[in-house]
Amino acid sequence: MTDIVSYCMLAVLVAALTLTQADQPLEENKRNYQIQADERFAYFQAAAGQDGQIDAKELQEVMIASGIQHGGFSRATCVTMIIMLDRDHSGYMGYDEFNQFVETIDQWKVTFQQFDSSDRSATLDGNELSQGLQSFGYNLSPQALGIMMQRYGIGGRVQFDNFLSLVIKLKSLTDQFRARDTAHDATATFGYDDFIQVAMFL
């Protein structure tokens, strides 16, 4: 009887130890995520100051200082990033928007790397770009893709910085279009002034 009790106690101890070890990676990931979030907040707060908002120049500084994007992004890309999340057209980004922005960038970076897998050139050619955009749900004509390659490509290839600008603008334009496509039939009506406001802001 004593042997059976001892065996049961040992089995329970092993099971508890196994569960504890299994939980360690999860707990470590949580701690690492919290550390990263705290570091991001510190960098953001330093750039934002008392108003708790950052503009395109400050976003550029935070991206470099925090290491989220080594080398940072161009000023034009940072302006486009703020526009994507700027609901009130203030030209600024708060911390919650910044967190959303970082998560979105991480997702897009994974997509970029996924479709750059064939040659690891840190760029996308026209075919890779088309596949990447399709994975986001954008089924575009060859003519539209050609215009994008002319606008955002260099030597027939799109770098990550320009890829972000392209995707942000495409998403923002699509959001504006869908807001006016009330019949959900892929058509929208723009007044001239409305069109100018959308085009100029983006």
Side-chain angles (χ1 to χ4, degrees):
M1 184 70 177
T2 303
D3 291 342
I4 294 175
V5 172
S6 299
Y7 176 79
C8 291
M9 291 178 64
L10 179 60
V12 170
L13 180 61
V14 170
L17 181 60
T18 301
L19 286 173
T20 301
Q21 291 174 338
D23 287 341
Q24 284 178 351
L26 179 60
E27 292 300 321
E28 185 175 349
N29 287 340
K30 287 181 179 178
R31 284 195 298 272
N32 290 338
Y33 180 83
Q34 187 59 50
I35 289 171
Q36 291 173 357
D38 291 344
E39 289 176 348
R40 282 204 304 266
F41 180 73
Y43 285 118
F44 179 89
Q45 197 171 38
Q50 293 184 344
D51 64 354
Q53 304 280 323
I54 58 175
D55 59 17
K57 181 177 182 297
E58 291 164 337
L59 175 60
Q60 193 176 29
E61 294 169 357
V62 172
M63 295 298 287
I64 295 172
S66 65
I68 294 172
Q69 175 65 18
H70 298 293
F73 293 113
S74 69
R75 178 70 179 277
T77 298
C78 288
V79 169
T80 308
M81 291 172 181
I82 286 183
I83 286 172
M84 180 182 71
L85 297 170
D86 187 9
R87 302 289 186 262
D88 59 358
H89 295 188
S90 66
Y92 291 90
M93 178 187 288
Y95 182 66
D96 289 342
E97 294 168 328
F98 176 72
N99 258 339
Q100 181 184 346
F101 154 76
V102 171
E103 291 173 2
T104 301
I105 293 300
D106 287 343
Q107 294 169 4
W108 289 350
K109 187 180 292 184
V110 169
T111 299
F112 184 90
Q113 292 170 343
Q114 176 185 348
F115 291 99
D116 179 38
S117 59
S118 60
D119 56 8
R120 294 297 182 189
S121 63
T123 62
L124 300 181
D125 62 21
N127 185 52
E128 292 167 336
L129 175 63
S130 176
Q131 292 176 7
L133 295 179
Q134 284 178 13
S135 75
F136 292 141
Y138 299 112
N139 296 308
L140 305 171
S141 68
Q143 292 81 6
L145 285 166
I147 290 173
M148 291 177 184
M149 288 300 297
Q150 290 179 22
R151 171 65 179 82
Y152 294 98
I154 300 175
R157 306 192 72 89
V158 178
Q159 299 173 347
F160 182 60
D161 190 316
N162 288 340
F163 174 75
L164 287 182
S165 293
L166 186 162
V167 174
I168 291 169
K169 189 160 189 176
L170 180 58
K171 180 183 183 305
S172 299
L173 284 170
T174 301
D175 289 345
Q176 293 289 339
F177 182 91
R178 285 176 176 166
R180 294 161 178 79
D181 180 17
T182 54
H184 305 291
D185 60 356
T187 60
T189 301
F190 286 77
Y192 176 70
D193 189 68
D194 186 27
F195 170 77
I196 292 298
Q197 288 184 45
V198 170
M200 290 297 181
F201 186 68
L202 298 175

